[in-house]
Amino acid sequence: MKKTLLYITAGLFIFSAISCTDEVLVNEHEGLRISGGIAPESRTTFIQDGEWTHTHWMANDGIGLYATGQENLPYKAVSNGNYSEFAPSSVNTLTAEQGKKVRAYYPYSDKASGNNVPLPYTIGQSSEKPAAAFMYSEATINNNSLNFSFKHLYSYLKITLSAQQYRDNLPSGCTLEGGGLYIKSDYPVSVYDATFNLETKQITHKGNNDVTRLFYYFDDMEYNGNNTYTYLIPILPQQANIPVTVYTFYPQTANEGYVSLIPMYQKNTPAEGFLSGNVYEVDFTGGEAGSVTEEQALKDFYNSTNGDQWLNNTNWLSNKSVNEWYGINNSVTRDFVYSMELSYNNLNGT
């Protein structure tokens, strides 16, 4: 599965959901007709069509089917396009039984067990290797017909920025190559190792991995050019009024494995949250309005953690260089925030 990159411009710093219409998938095998209405953004390869953002099936995209006595049957798309017929990709095929309930999901995984399906890994993505979509549905066989109405699991952030803007924000001591976008939320935003239960519709995260963050690497950006790039990034749906922050990140040249984060945008999710199957736009190309400076981010951090009651808040919120603010950069002078050390300092808040 591959993604077609979008090169567009849109409104400045907007979270807007892009609506969609339904189309139909059809397959007929041994007398059983299988069809599914799927919202365009629930298909597999994203394209831009005027003001619409939607996706297409690609030939050989795999889906899995579940029914009583028949577990994880692999089927595959036989053509590209807005809709596709599906054919069995093994000798095991779905039997046509009146009233049989069938569950379906994309993309197919041979590691699915029972109704628990592994979710695509999304905590680390890149423009050359975007994360797979995930969709699911269930329907009942009626008169040799099975009509699915697929639902999309992920929400999407559609982020637009220019190479010049990314280049202009480069901190001292960092390099452009190997950087990208960093997305942070107070709620799980990515998948490291998780499963989705087709029956209960519940996500189960395994281990103690921090899934409130997501890295998206630029593998396609020409850093010396002036092109504008748009990236469509799958994230887990978000609750209402959850702060979501988007940073650009840059590898530090003298500290292998460390990156510097430049906060670009922060906004609470709308009253309905970020809904599955919706695309939310964030456009940085209109200028600096709405961006978050490091100093403002530190002030927000101070205020949200009751900084007036810290044991030591020397020079915080003052006009002095942030290098002189207690706990910043460990007495090493930098022209950007390199580190923070505020342990055992009576911080209280979110």
Side-chain angles (χ1 to χ4, degrees), residues 179-350:
L181 294 168
Y182 176 82
I183 300 169
K184 179 67 176 162
S185 174
D186 288 347
Y187 191 75
V189 72
S190 64
V191 171
Y192 181 84
D193 184 8
T195 58
F196 179 77
N197 189 289
L198 295 173
E199 183 175 10
T200 66
K201 312 301 185 295
Q202 297 295 312
I203 298 173
T204 300
H205 295 276
K206 302 177 182 179
N208 297 316
N209 302 293
D210 182 4
V211 292
T212 63
R213 59 179 181 162
L214 183 155
F215 282 93
Y216 189 95
Y217 295 85
F218 299 149
D219 288 341
D220 63 327
M221 184 176 286
E222 295 291 337
Y223 298 107
N224 294 324
N226 296 311
N227 289 338
T228 295
Y229 298 82
T230 297
Y231 303 100
L232 203 59
I233 304 175
I235 65 172
L236 291 175
Q238 299 292 292
Q239 296 180 353
N241 299 315
I242 294 294
V244 175
T245 307
V246 180
Y247 304 79
T248 50
F249 72 85
Y250 306 82
Q252 296 180 6
T253 54
N255 297 277
E256 185 176 354
Y258 288 85
V259 298
S260 293
L261 302 178
I262 302 298
M264 296 287 290
Y265 176 76
Q266 196 224 32
K267 187 178 179 71
N268 285 357
T269 58
E272 69 274 13
F274 282 173
L275 302 179
S276 299
N278 282 284
V279 179
Y280 300 88
E281 295 188 36
V282 183
D283 191 334
F284 296 134
T285 59
E288 294 299 321
S291 63
V292 182
T293 65
E294 284 190 332
E295 183 175 354
Q296 183 60 52
L298 290 174
K299 290 179 178 179
D300 291 342
F301 173 78
Y302 179 91
N303 291 327
S304 67
T305 56
N306 200 18
D308 289 343
Q309 300 301 316
W310 291 358
L311 299 179
N312 190 338
N313 58 11
T314 301
N315 292 332
W316 275 77
L317 308 190
S318 73
N319 292 325
K320 294 186 177 181
S321 166
V322 294
N323 288 288
E324 299 181 62
W325 294 17
Y326 173 75
I328 300 298
N329 291 348
N330 287 326
S331 300
V332 177
T333 300
R334 303 268 182 148
D335 59 3
F336 61 95
V337 177
Y338 168 72
S339 67
M340 293 175 61
E341 177 53 61
L342 295 168
S343 301
Y344 306 105
N345 201 37
N346 197 37
L347 275 66
N348 184 19
T350 300

Side-chain angles (χ1 to χ4, degrees), residues 33-295:
R33 180 181 177 86
I34 301 176
S35 62
I38 303 176
E41 72 271 13
S42 294
R43 301 191 187 94
T44 59
T45 297
F46 285 86
I47 66 167
Q48 185 71 19
D49 180 16
E51 296 181 354
W52 296 91
T53 299
H54 58 96
T55 55
H56 284 259
W57 289 110
M58 301 294 288
N60 296 317
D61 279 339
I63 64 173
L65 302 180
Y66 274 83
T68 302
Q70 294 188 292
E71 181 172 308
N72 206 28
L73 303 178
Y75 277 66
K76 63 181 179 180
V78 298
S79 62
N80 304 338
N82 294 346
Y83 63 91
S84 173
E85 294 186 355
F86 281 76
S89 51
S90 76
V91 296
N92 297 319
T93 62
L94 186 66
T95 57
E97 298 177 17
Q98 179 72 11
K100 175 187 280 189
K101 180 181 289 186
V102 182
R103 298 187 176 97
Y105 73 93
Y106 167 87
Y108 176 80
S109 171
D110 59 8
K111 294 181 173 57
S113 177
N115 280 301
N116 294 308
V117 178
L119 289 176
Y121 176 91
T122 66
I123 197 170
Q125 306 176 40
S126 77
S127 54
E128 294 298 322
K129 295 181 179 179
F134 187 88
M135 60 185 178
Y136 62 96
S137 183
E138 66 179 48
T140 300
I141 297 176
N142 184 30
N143 295 327
N144 288 328
S145 179
L146 187 61
N147 182 25
F148 286 116
S149 180
F150 278 93
K151 296 180 180 179
H152 200 285
L153 178 64
Y154 294 132
S155 304
Y156 287 84
L157 288 183
K158 186 163 139 182
I159 300 177
T160 302
L161 78 164
S162 67
Q164 179 178 352
Q165 185 176 25
Y166 185 72
R167 184 171 63 247
D168 290 347
N169 285 329
L170 178 68
S172 175
C174 293
T175 181
L176 292 170
E177 290 75 12
L181 294 168
Y182 176 82
I183 300 169
K184 179 67 176 162
S185 174
D186 288 347
Y187 191 75
V189 72
S190 64
V191 171
Y192 181 84
D193 184 8
T195 58
F196 179 77
N197 189 289
L198 295 173
E199 183 175 10
T200 66
K201 312 301 185 295
Q202 297 295 312
I203 298 173
T204 300
H205 295 276
K206 302 177 182 179
N208 297 316
N209 302 293
D210 182 4
V211 292
T212 63
R213 59 179 181 162
L214 183 155
F215 282 93
Y216 189 95
Y217 295 85
F218 299 149
D219 288 341
D220 63 327
M221 184 176 286
E222 295 291 337
Y223 298 107
N224 294 324
N226 296 311
N227 289 338
T228 295
Y229 298 82
T230 297
Y231 303 100
L232 203 59
I233 304 175
I235 65 172
L236 291 175
Q238 299 292 292
Q239 296 180 353
N241 299 315
I242 294 294
V244 175
T245 307
V246 180
Y247 304 79
T248 50
F249 72 85
Y250 306 82
Q252 296 180 6
T253 54
N255 297 277
E256 185 176 354
Y258 288 85
V259 298
S260 293
L261 302 178
I262 302 298
M264 296 287 290
Y265 176 76
Q266 196 224 32
K267 187 178 179 71
N268 285 357
T269 58
E272 69 274 13
F274 282 173
L275 302 179
S276 299
N278 282 284
V279 179
Y280 300 88
E281 295 188 36
V282 183
D283 191 334
F284 296 134
T285 59
E288 294 299 321
S291 63
V292 182
T293 65
E294 284 190 332
E295 183 175 354

